[in-house]
């Protein structure tokens, strides 16, 4: 799998002109002409190996970190994508955080606070399964959640979402300027495919544990969520922290796109293992002689 192949598939779904982005132009069933799940699996396996090598270099270089943000409607395949794409990476170098309903402590802080606590350290990959973007998605669809955030009344007026978009852009810019590479993925599943997956969770006993009545209730707000996602992408997809809108009706294809977008992004960093200077080389040579002579 070549760099150009990674680039072509990744760039197909990268949002380049945020102001002109329209969700209706994306087909959740799109597979970019790839019809063979088996060949895609082979390509993904190669990608997993490449990601493992890139993560090893990132860890050794210890200058930058990578933050992967994954947002989606329920049953779009977030967990599946994380599991398969990151399957070959050293667990010591990656941390996955799944953000649930905020705790009382988290609600006592600003909306970015809890995510700030979980940012990846230098040399690491951090994955946010849902993220601070919930604050302009679920909180926007359910304004009653905003009321629980202990904000002064004058700060929750008609411009609250505009201000939050601005805060997110500024925060992400700050992170990028401090060595954090940010890549954001919206896994775009169709309403029909989500329904099929929900029914599968009900019909197959081994999947019953995945089903939640709350997920079904959220389907009633599908149009509001789609408007919120579109507005979010239009206002927060930037050159330094882009969104990728990934068709998610076929999980095997979703995984491949996410993997190749990460590979393309990390390859662009030209990651290298640290090189030792002449003094250190002399020290290593001395250590080698000692091991040979006194071993």
């Amino acid at each position: 799998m070549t760099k150009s192949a990674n680039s072509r598939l990744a760039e197909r779904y990268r949002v380049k002109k945020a102001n002109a982005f329209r969700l209706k132009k994306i087909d959740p069933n799109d597979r970019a002409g790839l019809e063979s799940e088996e060949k895609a699996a082979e390509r993904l396996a190669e990608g997993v190996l490449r990601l493992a090598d890139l993560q090893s270099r990132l860890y050794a270089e210890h200058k930058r970190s990578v933050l992967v943000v994954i947002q989606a409607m329920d049953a779009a395949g977030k967990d599946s994508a994380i599991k398969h794409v990151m399957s070959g990476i050293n667990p010591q170098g990656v941390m996955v955080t799944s953000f649930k309903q905020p705790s009382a402590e988290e609600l006592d802080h600003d909306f970015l606070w809890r995510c700030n606590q979980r940012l990846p350290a230098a040399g690491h990959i951090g994955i946010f399964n849902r993220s601070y973007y919930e604050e302009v998605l679920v909180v926007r669809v359910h304004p009653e959640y905003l009321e629980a955030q202990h904000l002064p009344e004058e700060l929750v007026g008609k411009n609250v979402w505009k201000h939050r978009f601005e805060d997110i852009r500024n925060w992400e810019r700050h992170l990028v300027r401090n060595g954090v590479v940010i890549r954001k993925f919206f896994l775009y599943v169709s309403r029909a495919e989500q329904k099929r997956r929900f029914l599968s969770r009900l019909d197959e006993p081994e999947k019953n544990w995945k089903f939640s009545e709350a997920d079904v209730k959220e389907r009633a707000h599908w149009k509001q969520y789609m408007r919120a996602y579109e507005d979010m992408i239009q206002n927060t997809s930037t050159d330094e922290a882009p969104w990728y809108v990934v068709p998610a009706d076929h999980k095997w294809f979703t995984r491949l796109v996410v993997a190749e977008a990460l590979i393309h992004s990390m390859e662009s960093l030209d990651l290298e293992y640290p090189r030792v200077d002449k003094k250190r080389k002399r020290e290593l040579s001395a250590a080698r002689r000692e091991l040979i002579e006194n071993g």
Side-chain angles (χ1 to χ4, degrees), residues 16 48 60 82 94 133 140 170 173 191 247:
K16 302 174 184 66
V48 167
I82 294 169
V94 64
Y133 280 102
R140 189 170 188 177
N170 289 337
R173 187 177 299 113
R191 197 166 189 266

Side-chain angles (χ1 to χ4, degrees), residues 24-69:
K24 65 181 181 180
K25 295 181 179 180
I26 308 298
D27 179 6
N29 191 50
D30 184 26
R31 284 163 287 180
L34 301 176
E35 299 298 332
S36 172
E37 183 174 350
E38 291 73 19
K39 290 184 178 179
E42 293 175 3
R43 186 163 159 178
L44 176 61
E46 294 177 12
V48 167
L49 292 176
R50 179 59 179 150
L51 267 178
D53 176 64
L54 289 166
Q55 188 275 332
S56 179
R57 294 169 183 268
L58 178 79
Y59 188 86
E61 188 185 70
H62 205 73
K63 292 181 179 179
R64 286 169 284 199
S65 61
V66 176
L67 174 61
V68 181
V69 174

